[in-house]
Amino acid sequence: MLTLSKAQAATQAAQLALVRPELAAAYTVALERWMGDRKLLLLGLPIITEGHRSNATQAAYYAQGRPLLYPLAELNRLRKVAGLGPFSAKSTEARRIITYQQAGASNHNHMPSWALDVALLQADGSLTWDAGALLLFARLVRAADARVVHGADWDHDGRTDDQAFHDWPHFELTA
Ligand SMILES: [Zn+2]
């Protein structure tokens, strides 16, 4: 049985405490349903990787994948300000766009946060972000509260193939 360690559970509680109550409630209901389904649990255990995000971290995330605006040295300077480790020159992650929101503009930047990101914890302790599994989790979250928007279905029309940008781990309230 896949369960969180005490430290992981404490981190999850701390993350949820900095997220808007409606979103935290929808996440919690979805998580309980997921944990009650053995087949879903085989895909991993949903875990919040980030709820509230500082403006400094948002600025560092925005700098990723935009080397003309933010050469590696500048990207790593922003990461240091945010308390994040540097990327190496070989890093493919450094070249990947992960957000279109500048500092202060993300729904993660509110306090409490309007957004949270989810990964799937595996039995070996690793995290995965399988799109299919995250879509199944998104259905449970949206069933719990239809106001929550999934980052793979921004227009919440139930389709993910009509989006230019998929942020599979991302869930947010927009108002
Ligand atoms: Zn997010």
Side-chain angles (χ1 to χ4, degrees):
M1 174 71 182
L2 206 47
T3 50
L4 297 179
S5 68
K6 270 191 182 170
Q8 283 171 325
T11 303
Q12 290 298 291
Q15 294 269 27
L16 273 179
L18 299 183
V19 168
R20 269 175 59 184
E22 314 95 289
L23 182 57
Y27 174 83
T28 302
V29 168
L31 179 61
E32 281 167 5
R33 296 211 174 122
W34 185 280
M35 291 179 74
D37 187 321
R38 284 163 184 258
K39 280 185 190 159
L40 290 177
L41 264 182
L42 287 175
L43 301 172
L45 183 63
I47 187 166
I48 298 169
T49 54
E50 196 168 32
H52 174 71
R53 180 186 302 154
S54 70
N55 286 348
T57 298
Q58 188 69 34
Y61 284 6
Y62 183 80
Q64 269 180 247
R66 296 181 171 92
L68 296 178
L69 289 170
Y70 305 95
L72 185 62
E74 177 61 7
L75 169 58
N76 280 337
R77 188 191 67 78
L78 290 168
R79 287 182 64 80
K80 192 173 182 186
V81 169
L84 302 166
F87 284 126
S88 78
K90 287 181 192 163
S91 168
T92 53
E93 184 65 9
R95 293 192 287 275
R96 191 169 75 90
I97 285 185
I98 61 166
T99 184
Y100 288 90
Q101 306 300 328
Q102 299 210 33
S106 166
N107 278 332
H108 283 279
N109 299 148
H110 295 283
M111 178 62 93
S113 178
W114 292 25
L116 56 79
D117 296 331
V118 178
L120 291 148
L121 179 68
Q122 304 299 312
D124 66 1
S126 66
L127 296 179
T128 60
W129 289 268
D130 178 72
L134 289 167
L135 186 59
L136 290 172
F137 187 65
R139 292 206 179 119
L140 295 181
V141 174
R142 300 240 325 130
D145 189 334
R147 291 172 297 180
V148 179
V149 174
H150 181 212
D153 181 19
W154 300 104
D155 55 2
H156 46 90
D157 64 355
R159 295 175 55 164
T160 58
D161 60 355
D162 59 350
Q163 305 296 315
F165 175 58
H166 293 94
D167 192 353
W168 294 97
H170 179 93
F171 294 86
E172 68 175 24
L173 291 168
T174 55

Coordinates of all heavy atoms in Angstrom, one line a residue, residues 50 53 106 108 115-117 167 169-171, ligand 1:
E50 N 3.6 21.7 -5.5 CA 3.7 23.1 -5.3 C 2.3 23.7 -5.2 O 1.5 23.4 -6.1 CB 4.5 23.8 -6.4 CG 5.0 25.2 -6.0 CD 6.0 25.8 -6.9 OE1 6.0 25.4 -8.1 OE2 6.9 26.5 -6.4
R53 N 3.4 29.9 -4.6 CA 4.8 30.1 -5.2 C 5.1 31.5 -5.1 O 4.3 32.4 -5.5 CB 4.7 29.6 -6.7 CG 6.0 29.8 -7.5 CD 5.8 29.5 -8.9 NE 5.3 28.1 -9.1 CZ 4.5 27.8 -10.2 NH1 4.2 28.7 -11.1 NH2 4.1 26.6 -10.3
S106 N 0.9 34.6 -12.0 CA 0.4 33.2 -11.9 C -0.6 33.1 -10.8 O -0.5 33.8 -9.8 CB 1.6 32.3 -11.6 OG 1.1 31.0 -11.2
H108 N -0.6 30.8 -8.9 CA 0.2 30.2 -7.8 C 0.7 31.4 -6.9 O 1.2 31.1 -5.8 CB 1.4 29.5 -8.3 CG 1.1 28.1 -8.8 ND1 1.0 27.0 -8.0 CD2 1.0 27.7 -10.1 CE1 0.8 25.9 -8.8 NE2 0.8 26.3 -10.0
A115 N -3.8 28.1 -7.0 CA -3.4 26.9 -7.9 C -2.6 25.9 -7.1 O -1.9 26.3 -6.1 CB -2.7 27.4 -9.1
L116 N -2.6 24.7 -7.6 CA -1.6 23.7 -7.1 C -1.2 22.8 -8.2 O -1.9 22.6 -9.2 CB -2.2 23.0 -5.9 CG -3.5 22.2 -6.0 CD1 -3.4 20.9 -6.7 CD2 -4.1 22.0 -4.6
D117 N 0.0 22.2 -8.1 CA 0.5 21.3 -9.0 C 0.6 19.9 -8.4 O 1.0 19.8 -7.2 CB 1.9 21.7 -9.5 CG 1.9 23.0 -10.2 OD1 0.8 23.3 -10.9 OD2 2.9 23.8 -10.2
D167 N -0.6 22.0 -19.3 CA 0.1 22.0 -18.0 C -0.6 20.9 -17.2 O -1.4 21.2 -16.3 CB 0.0 23.4 -17.4 CG 0.9 23.6 -16.2 OD1 1.5 22.6 -15.8 OD2 0.9 24.7 -15.6
P169 N 0.1 18.9 -14.7 CA 0.0 18.8 -13.3 C -0.8 19.9 -12.6 O -1.0 19.8 -11.4 CB 1.5 18.9 -12.9 CG 2.3 18.8 -14.1 CD 1.4 19.3 -15.2
H170 N -1.2 20.9 -13.4 CA -1.7 22.1 -12.8 C -3.3 22.2 -12.6 O -4.0 21.8 -13.5 CB -1.3 23.3 -13.7 CG -1.8 24.6 -13.3 ND1 -1.0 25.5 -12.5 CD2 -2.9 25.3 -13.6 CE1 -1.6 26.6 -12.3 NE2 -2.8 26.6 -13.0
F171 N -3.7 22.6 -11.4 CA -5.1 22.8 -11.1 C -5.3 24.2 -10.5 O -4.5 24.6 -9.7 CB -5.6 21.8 -10.1 CG -5.6 20.4 -10.7 CD1 -4.4 19.6 -10.6 CD2 -6.7 19.8 -11.3 CE1 -4.4 18.3 -11.1 CE2 -6.7 18.6 -11.8 CZ -5.5 17.8 -11.8
Ligands
ZN1 ZN 0.8 25.1 -11.7

